[in-house]
Amino acid sequence: MNKHVPSSLYPKKTKLIITISFILVISLYLVSSIITESFILNFFIKLPNIFGLITDFFPPQWSYVSNIWPKLFETLHMAIIATTIAVIISIPFSLLTANNVTTNHFLYQIMRFLLNIIRTIPDIILAVVFVGLFGIGVFPGIIALIIFAVGILVKLMSEVIEAIDMNPSEAIRASGGNTLQTIWYAVVPQVLPQFISFSLYVFEINIRASVVLGLVGAGGIGQLINKEINFMNYPAVSTIVLIIFAVVVVIDYISGKLREGLV
């Protein structure tokens, strides 16, 4: 039995679009590389330098581990405090930025605008600003993490709230329920598992972010890394990095299992 075999997998118009897109991507890459003077070949040219740096970092200085734990626990405390406060703050903000809950269009647009501004500011910039305001230490790092986490949580949760089934809400309103009763009995049961899952996810992000924030003086283990880099004590730095890696892997695993059980 003869079967018709198409001469081409894609029609001519699709092939033309793919070809043009490929040429545009390559052209943009070449133009960007020329302007920034950054070529992928530079990586291979500088490869011997990378191997030389690796030899400076290894073997790790395991005797330095006792100096790491206080700052590591400080980093964990920063992430816990920042995530907890961010979760509390994000609850009303998530409701105000969901168009199926907030019927006041002006208030909805204002809240969306404010949250968009917050999300556009990188966490490292927030840390630099707050270190300038409050001085070097844990407090400016916690404030930066709170704002950073609120931006992520509100974005994720407002989209979840906007996708819920509105029939329970309408039924509660029809039976005389007020706004708070509608939210508690119709909205919260539908979004609570996702909210807890996103909170755990943000906690993971805050662990990583707090390490980076320490490099600009915002407390945590990043401050210790910065100090040892300045002293060129690279074996100690590699020890810190390996400990951080192990802790993050464990936290990711536990958080992932918890999220699997919730969603």
Side-chain angles (χ1 to χ4, degrees):
M1 183 177 178
N2 294 326
K3 292 184 179 180
H4 176 68
V5 179
S7 59
S8 176
L9 186 61
Y10 300 106
K12 288 184 177 180
K13 185 177 179 181
T14 304
K15 288 174 67 177
L16 180 62
I17 292 172
I18 292 172
T19 304
I20 292 172
S21 300
F22 180 76
I23 292 170
L24 281 173
V25 169
I26 295 298
S27 300
L28 286 170
Y29 165 75
L30 291 173
V31 170
S32 300
S33 297
I34 292 168
I35 292 173
T36 60
E37 298 181 359
S38 301
F39 297 92
I40 194 67
L41 288 174
N42 292 341
F43 175 79
F44 298 101
I45 293 170
K46 300 294 184 182
L47 210 53
N49 295 346
I50 296 174
F51 290 126
L53 188 63
I54 290 172
T55 58
D56 291 335
F57 276 84
F58 287 92
Q61 186 180 338
W62 295 113
S63 60
Y64 191 78
V65 171
S66 59
N67 299 320
I68 297 173
W69 299 123
K71 284 294 183 181
L72 180 62
F73 289 131
E74 186 176 88
T75 297
L76 292 171
H77 293 156
M78 286 173 63
I80 291 169
I81 294 168
T83 305
T84 304
I85 296 174
V87 165
I88 295 169
I89 294 173
S90 65
I91 293 171
F93 280 12
S94 299
L95 295 168
L96 290 171
T97 51
N99 56 15
N100 57 342
V101 174
T102 303
T103 55
N104 187 318
H105 183 71
F106 178 76
L107 178 60
Y108 169 77
Q109 291 297 337
I110 289 291
M111 294 305 301
R112 280 279 184 180
F113 178 72
L114 290 175
L115 267 299
N116 286 335
I117 292 175
I118 290 173
R119 281 194 299 272
T120 57
I121 305 173
D123 54 343
I124 192 77
I125 300 300
L126 290 170
V128 170
V129 170
F130 290 119
V131 165
L133 290 173
F134 303 111
I136 292 173
V138 174
F139 183 71
I142 292 173
I143 300 298
L145 287 175
I146 290 171
I147 297 173
F148 174 67
V150 166
I152 297 174
L153 270 174
V154 172
K155 173 66 175 177
L156 294 173
M157 282 311 304
S158 62
E159 291 180 354
V160 170
I161 293 171
E162 287 177 346
I164 64 172
D165 181 9
M166 292 303 293
N167 289 329
S169 300
E170 292 169 1
I172 291 173
R173 287 196 188 100
S175 61
N178 57 34
T179 302
L180 288 176
Q181 290 172 327
T182 303
I183 291 170
W184 184 254
Y185 292 107
V187 177
V188 171
Q190 295 187 66
V191 302
L192 186 59
Q194 289 92 339
F195 184 68
I196 296 173
S197 175
F198 289 147
S199 299
L200 291 169
Y201 172 65
V202 167
F203 174 68
E204 295 173 30
I205 294 174
N206 277 343
I207 291 287
R208 299 183 184 93
S210 59
V211 174
V212 178
L213 298 190
L215 296 174
V216 295
I221 202 166
Q223 220 168 335
L224 191 61
I225 294 175
N226 191 37
K227 185 189 82 172
E228 297 304 332
I229 288 174
N230 290 335
F231 289 153
M232 289 193 251
N233 188 2
Y234 298 128
V237 173
S238 67
T239 306
I240 297 169
V241 171
L242 289 173
I243 294 293
I244 293 170
F245 175 76
V247 170
V248 168
V249 167
V250 170
I251 291 173
D252 281 353
Y253 177 79
I254 295 171
S255 181
K257 288 298 181 182
L258 289 172
R259 289 203 304 273
E260 286 175 10
L262 290 167
V263 180

